[in-house]
Amino acid sequence: QQQVKQSPQSLIVQKGGISIINCAYENTAFDYFPWYQQFPGKGPALLIAIRPDVSEKKEGRFTISFNKSAKQFSLHIMDSQPGDSATYFCAASHSDYKLSFGAGTTVTVRA
Amino acid sequence: GAVVSQHPSWVICKSGTSVKIECRSLDFQATTMFWYRQFPKQSLMLMATSNEGSKATYEQGVEKDKFLINHASLTLSTLTVTSAHPEDSSFYICSAPTKGANYGYTFGSGTRLTVV
């Protein structure tokens, strides 16, 4: 049973556009919500992460929005660039226990 | 920042042989290491959790006699795929949590295993 549900499975966006990926979770004990970016043949790299005491976190072109009551969080990629084409995974964990990953979203940015 | 070095990055082996994958924490002590397997176009699936000085904990459906995990020191964890078969071909990734109030996870770069 997947503890973190991610959508969409894939998306295509024009250069300069906004990419939005959504995740939902059930376990209210989760207290760490990271997003990872993965390129083919590489391990996942941390992009940005949020903890439930804030509702939004921004780092450069990447923003996490967090809705604790709805148990949802999302990643927004502003001004999408071809170099952002990758697979993105949301995840969640509590304490420093094992991460539960979403299914992944393949983002393609068209020039 | 915390770095986990994973080797080899890719390996090809013959059916029936064993392959060892190493993950080293370079600038921190990893008392715990998570081992994942990832098939093409799929998410990371946790295989097992290793803890320094104790037996690994395997996820349901993962054969502990086939995937031997050793965590002999605070900086080294190894995964050995024994009697490998083509269906074991996959991308294997390790990850260590960095402790503390603002904990996170550091991932290795992954090992592409191809069994022929």
Side-chain angles (χ1 to χ4, degrees), chain B residues 44-58:
Chain B
L44 285 76
M45 297 303 296
L46 182 66
M47 298 174 63
T49 302
S50 72
N51 292 289
E52 187 267 336
S54 63
K55 289 185 177 181
T57 303
Y58 290 82

Side-chain angles (χ1 to χ4, degrees), chain A residues 34-54:
Chain A
W35 285 90
Y36 292 93
Q37 179 188 56
Q38 186 179 32
F39 293 103
K42 303 294 184 182
L46 179 65
L47 197 59
I48 187 173
I50 198 168
R51 299 183 193 272
D53 52 343
V54 296

